[in-house]
Amino acid sequence: MYILLSLEKREIRPSKHRKGMSATKRLPMCVLFFVLLTVASIGCTGFRVISKDGAIVAARTLEFEFDLGSKIVVAPRDTFMTALTTGWEGLSWNVKYGYVGANSLGMDLVADGINQVGLACGGFHFTGCAGHQPLEKDLYKSTISHYDVIGLILENFATVEEVKSALDDIRVYGLAIMITESTMMPLHYIVYDAHGGCIVIEYVDGELNIHENPLGVITNNPTFDWHLQNLSNYVNLTSANIKSSKLGDFEIRATGNGTGLLGLTGDNTSPSRFVRAAFYSHGEVKPANAESAVTLAWHILNALDIPEGLVVNEELGIVISRDIAYWSAVRDLTNRVYYYRTYEDLNIRKVELDRIDFSSGNIRFLNMSHEQNYIDVTDAIK
């Protein structure tokens, strides 16, 4: 069901009556965000790396057709939250865990993040598949919009099992500018915890579907179970080189290394990115520890990056937009660190959650985008 966005507010009120961000000030930007989404689509990729010592690292890209002006969001605990509403009061909760994440257009609604106990959640575009639950008046108090899901999960839960148990009692409706599907941004979600748990959350035809995710990989449409089944088409792939084979008495010799992955898809469609991310994140060598896992995650992200000009959207022969990987993030769930970089600045930055005081203050924002800086080593040449 898709609901007209004549927004009242998404209420944010500190539990101890601290002054929170004005809902009326957020509203124009919120409306603008949803309007822009009606003409855009996202192609994002997420995956997980587990080190030999059990450290959990989850990474993702965010591709979009225009720059969302994303900022780092730092949200404190002990804050009273109310879901986005359409003239009625939705589910409310008191924030249990502070988190760090990335938003869009200056909003407090996040697209991705990690909380202070190492649970991560992100939203991914789900074109043609998402079908959220209908609004029922007598269930308003247990209802949230599909834009609230990520924040709700980050703010309330420590493990995947807690998320699974809670979602059965929460209704999620699709919030749109107008009563048409074309004005609602369809999403599905991935959740990772620091103990190795991983699920994909999808709402299809009004039904909640929670998929166990043994690979830790997600892209976009079709549904997650379809992507897992599609891997059967690549059952022959391996990281080990194939040196030769025979056709009768004729020996076919390999032209070089990499023959084990001959046939791995290279295009930027959602199914192909899923396959690549699955194989890249499950290579033959496991990183030794969290630091090595973070480094490996960035190398995999390099292979999944979409530079400007490779994915172009045209109407009547005129280019109207280009998909770009505007930012990428790596979350170290074990050590609770949020790393990120942007398209214009490849320098990697990090936020260490253990050094943040989540017990007080309002929601804080930090610019993600900076100019690219290059380290000049000319003077070091002897």
Side-chain angles (χ1 to χ4, degrees):
M1 184 173 184
Y2 306 100
I3 306 302
L4 176 66
L5 183 62
S6 55
L7 277 178
E8 287 286 326
K9 59 185 175 179
R10 181 177 189 257
E11 185 178 2
I12 301 177
R13 187 167 70 248
S15 295
K16 299 178 182 178
H17 306 292
R18 296 189 300 269
K19 184 177 180 182
M21 181 183 294
S22 166
T24 56
K25 288 183 180 179
R26 293 197 316 276
L27 180 56
M29 187 61 73
C30 190
V31 173
L32 174 61
F33 175 66
F34 293 133
V35 170
L36 290 172
L37 288 176
T38 66
V39 296
S41 63
I42 304 176
C44 309
T45 305
F47 59 90
R48 178 182 61 188
V49 176
I50 302 177
S51 68
K52 289 180 180 179
D53 65 359
I56 310 291
V57 169
R60 68 163 298 162
T61 64
L62 185 134
E63 285 86 32
F64 216 87
E65 295 178 336
F66 55 87
D67 189 354
L68 291 172
S70 294
K71 294 184 177 182
I72 294 298
V73 178
V74 180
R77 60 177 181 266
D78 298 324
T79 302
F80 185 82
M81 307 291 286
T82 299
L84 277 170
T85 63
T86 57
W88 45 270
E89 186 174 350
L91 178 68
S92 297
W93 61 92
N94 193 52
V95 175
K96 186 176 181 180
Y97 302 113
Y99 68 85
V100 171
N103 74 344
S104 300
L105 298 176
M107 297 188 304
D108 52 279
L109 293 169
V110 289
D112 181 80
I114 177 176
N115 70 18
Q116 63 184 109
V117 290
L119 181 128
C121 182
F124 292 74
H125 207 251
F126 198 34
T127 307
C129 297
H132 295 85
Q133 297 165 321
L135 275 174
E136 296 184 20
K137 188 173 182 180
D138 58 340
L139 296 175
Y140 282 169
K141 293 288 187 178
S142 61
T143 300
I144 65 174
S145 83
H146 72 299
Y147 296 110
D148 289 302
V149 171
I150 301 167
L152 174 79
I153 289 174
L154 292 173
E155 292 160 359
N156 289 281
F157 307 115
T159 68
V160 161
E161 290 303 317
E162 291 179 9
V163 175
K164 289 163 60 177
S165 297
L167 286 180
D168 285 335
D169 298 321
I170 298 172
R171 298 187 67 80
V172 177
Y173 74 96
L175 183 61
I177 299 294
M178 299 172 61
I179 309 177
T180 64
E181 182 176 356
S182 63
T183 58
M184 188 210 72
M185 180 181 179
L187 295 173
H188 62 170
Y189 316 89
I190 192 165
V191 184
Y192 305 92
D193 68 30
H195 308 286
C198 182
I199 56 172
V200 170
I201 302 165
E202 297 179 339
Y203 292 88
V204 178
D205 295 329
E207 296 292 331
L208 167 63
N209 297 306
I210 298 178
H211 302 279
E212 297 290 339
N213 188 344
L215 297 176
V217 174
I218 188 172
T219 53
N220 313 109
N221 51 295
T223 57
F224 179 74
D225 54 345
W226 184 96
H227 284 289
L228 289 184
Q229 183 61 45
N230 183 52
L231 290 175
S232 297
N233 292 313
Y234 303 91
V235 68
N236 61 299
L237 297 187
T238 173
S239 56
N241 289 318
I242 300 172
K243 297 180 179 180
S244 66
S245 64
K246 279 193 172 183
L247 287 177
D249 294 330
F250 180 73
E251 185 176 11
I252 305 172
R253 294 185 176 275
T255 56
N257 289 333
T259 52
L261 290 178
L262 278 173
L264 183 66
T265 57
D267 62 81
N268 289 311
T269 61
S270 172
S272 294
R273 285 184 283 107
F274 189 99
V275 173
R276 286 207 309 283
F279 279 94
Y280 287 165
S281 59
H282 291 81
E284 189 267 335
V285 176
K286 271 193 171 186
N289 49 39
E291 183 178 0
S292 297
V294 169
T295 300
L296 176 60
W298 283 116
H299 283 291
I300 296 172
L301 285 169
N302 289 340
L304 298 170
D305 196 16
I306 299 180
E308 185 175 12
L310 286 187
V311 180
V312 177
N313 302 294
E314 294 185 351
E315 292 290 343
L316 301 177
I318 300 173
V319 175
I320 61 172
S321 63
R322 300 175 179 88
D323 285 11
I324 302 173
Y326 277 102
W327 55 261
S328 300
V330 175
R331 311 84 130 201
D332 179 348
L333 278 60
T334 301
N335 297 295
R336 296 165 297 282
V337 183
Y338 193 83
Y339 300 85
Y340 66 93
R341 73 180 182 198
T342 66
Y343 187 85
E344 297 292 342
D345 180 10
L346 297 179
N347 294 300
I348 299 170
R349 291 172 166 81
K350 69 176 181 177
V351 179
E352 296 181 359
L353 277 72
D354 289 353
R355 294 171 55 196
I356 296 175
D357 181 6
F358 289 104
S359 64
S360 62
N362 298 320
I363 295 176
R364 289 157 283 177
F365 300 92
L366 176 70
N367 287 333
M368 292 182 79
S369 296
H370 303 272
E371 291 184 0
Q372 176 70 53
N373 293 315
Y374 298 96
I375 299 174
D376 188 350
V377 298
T378 307
D379 291 339
I381 299 174
K382 303 293 185 180

